[in-house]
Amino acid sequence: ISALQKGYNQMLCRTLSERNSEITSLKNEGETLKRDNSVTAGMVTSLQKDILARNEQVQQLKEEVDQLKRQNKEKEFQLEALNARCSALNEELKKEGSQKEHREAQEKELKHCKSQIQDMEKEMKKLREELRKNCSEQSMIYKTLREKSKLEQFRSQVIKATYGQAKPCQDKAITDQQLIEKITQVTEDNINFQQKKWSLQKESHSKQEETAKNMEKLKAALDSCQACMKMSCCSSDLKREVDLLQHLQMSPPVLGLQKVTLDILSHSLSWLEETEQLLRDLGIQLSGSDKGSWDFSFLTLVA
């Protein structure tokens, strides 16, 4: 029992202590609530003041709103007038815009036409250049063809000149190499012919000079014979002159004339020797005045 009492007392003590704690806590909360209430009362008073001020502001705002509404109505009237004016201006602007668009479209079309004209002019210029180039090329082709035709004609003339009337091969065309070889051969033949001709002309000229010299020698010898016969008609003198004439070195055709002259003079010398012998046989002595009385005029003709 004492233990139960002791336990009961302890439980009561704990309960009392807990109740004291709760009471203390409640007191504290009550004080806190009092403070909060006083604060809340102050806040309510402040809020009431604020509400009064707000009500005054609301009233003032209502008045301002009414004033603004009146102003808005006036501005709406002004806006309607402005809208009407703007509509009229828009119509005018639309008309001007359509005209401007039309002008811009015309200007754009004009620019496009100008661009096309410039492109066409460039194309025409290009075509003219190509035409001029083609004409130049065509003229060059015509010129080349004419030159080729002239060359062919010249080649034909060269072939006729080198080969004559008949070609070496009638069924085959003459190649350029064959023609060059033939021209070379003809040129060499012509050069050889010219050299032979020049040699013959030189030889003929030298022969003519030699003939002229021989003629001068023969004429001098004949003149000497004629002078001798005119001064003296002794056979010994004439024989000496004939020997001199016979020993002269002559070349054809003067050699033939020398032989003919020697034959004539030999006959004359024989006739003179026979005449002198006949006169000596007859005992006739030829005097100095009789010498030179023989007629040897034929020597003048020979000379």
Side-chain angles (χ1 to χ4, degrees):
I1 293 170
S2 59
L4 289 171
Q5 287 179 352
K6 187 178 180 179
Y8 180 73
N9 290 327
Q10 289 178 354
M11 184 179 67
L12 286 175
C13 288
R14 284 196 300 272
T15 303
L16 288 173
S17 63
E18 289 176 359
R19 292 290 177 87
N20 289 327
S21 297
E22 289 178 359
I23 290 168
T24 303
S25 177
L26 288 172
K27 284 181 179 180
N28 291 328
E29 288 179 0
E31 289 177 358
T32 302
L33 288 173
K34 285 180 181 180
R35 286 194 299 272
D36 292 338
N37 189 14
S38 62
V39 172
T40 303
M43 291 177 67
V44 168
T45 303
S46 177
L47 287 172
Q48 286 177 351
K49 290 179 181 179
D50 290 336
I51 288 169
L52 290 174
R54 294 290 177 85
N55 288 329
E56 291 177 357
Q57 289 179 357
V58 168
Q59 187 66 31
Q60 186 178 358
L61 288 172
K62 284 181 179 180
E63 292 176 357
E64 290 178 357
V65 167
D66 292 334
Q67 186 178 359
L68 289 172
K69 285 181 179 179
R70 289 191 298 271
Q71 291 178 356
N72 286 331
K73 286 182 180 180
E74 291 177 358
K75 288 182 179 180
E76 284 178 357
F77 293 143
Q78 292 177 359
L79 285 172
E80 288 178 357
L82 288 173
N83 286 327
R85 188 174 179 183
C86 287
S87 297
L89 290 173
N90 286 327
E91 291 295 330
E92 292 179 358
L93 288 173
K94 284 180 181 179
K95 291 181 181 179
E96 291 180 357
S98 62
Q99 292 177 357
K100 185 177 181 181
E101 289 177 357
H102 183 65
R103 285 196 301 271
E104 288 179 353
Q106 287 181 347
E107 290 177 356
K108 188 175 181 181
E109 186 69 21
L110 183 61
K111 288 180 180 179
H112 183 66
C113 291
K114 287 182 178 179
S115 177
Q116 287 182 347
I117 290 170
Q118 290 177 356
D119 293 337
M120 290 176 68
E121 287 178 352
K122 290 180 181 179
E123 189 68 22
M124 287 293 293
K125 187 176 181 181
K126 186 177 180 181
L127 290 173
R128 287 195 190 97
E129 291 293 332
E130 290 180 357
L131 182 62
R132 190 179 297 110
K133 186 177 180 181
N134 290 330
C135 290
S136 178
E137 290 178 355
Q138 191 174 6
S139 62
M140 288 295 294
I141 291 171
Y142 287 155
K143 186 177 180 181
T144 304
L145 290 174
R146 286 197 300 270
E147 290 178 354
K148 187 176 181 182
S149 177
K150 290 180 180 179
L151 287 174
E152 289 294 332
Q153 292 178 359
F154 177 72
R155 190 173 183 273
S156 300
Q157 292 176 359
V158 170
I159 290 172
K160 288 181 180 179
T162 52
Y163 287 97
Q165 295 296 329
K167 294 182 181 179
C169 297
Q170 295 292 336
D171 55 345
K172 293 183 180 179
I174 298 172
T175 62
D176 293 338
Q177 184 65 31
Q178 291 176 348
L179 184 60
I180 291 170
E181 291 176 356
K182 186 65 177 178
I183 291 172
T184 304
Q185 182 182 355
V186 171
T187 304
E188 290 177 354
D189 293 340
N190 190 17
I191 291 171
N192 293 329
F193 174 75
Q194 293 295 332
Q195 288 178 352
K196 288 181 181 179
K197 183 179 177 181
W198 181 76
S199 299
L200 290 173
Q201 287 178 352
K202 186 177 180 181
E203 185 178 355
S204 175
H205 183 68
S206 61
K207 285 183 178 181
Q208 287 178 359
E209 290 181 352
E210 186 179 358
T211 301
K213 290 180 180 179
N214 291 332
M215 288 294 292
E216 290 178 358
K217 290 180 181 179
L218 181 61
K219 186 176 182 299
L222 292 176
D223 290 340
S224 178
C225 289
Q226 188 175 11
C228 178
M229 290 178 180
K230 285 181 179 180
M231 291 184 298
S232 175
C233 62
C234 293
S235 59
S236 59
D237 294 335
L238 183 58
K239 188 175 186 307
R240 185 175 61 253
E241 294 296 333
V242 170
D243 291 337
L244 291 174
L245 180 60
Q246 187 175 4
H247 287 88
L248 288 176
Q249 298 293 328
M250 298 292 176
S251 61
V254 182
L255 183 60
L257 185 60
Q258 181 186 14
K259 289 180 179 180
V260 172
T261 306
L262 285 173
D263 290 338
I264 294 171
L265 289 174
S266 296
H267 288 297
S268 299
L269 180 59
S270 298
W271 177 78
L272 182 59
E273 287 177 348
E274 290 176 358
T275 303
E276 288 179 352
Q277 184 64 36
L278 181 60
L279 290 174
R280 281 195 295 271
D281 291 341
L282 293 174
I284 299 172
Q285 295 294 328
L286 294 175
S287 61
S289 61
D290 294 331
K291 294 179 180 180
S293 61
W294 305 101
D295 187 7
F296 294 100
S297 60
F298 66 91
L299 292 176
T300 305
L301 295 175
V302 174

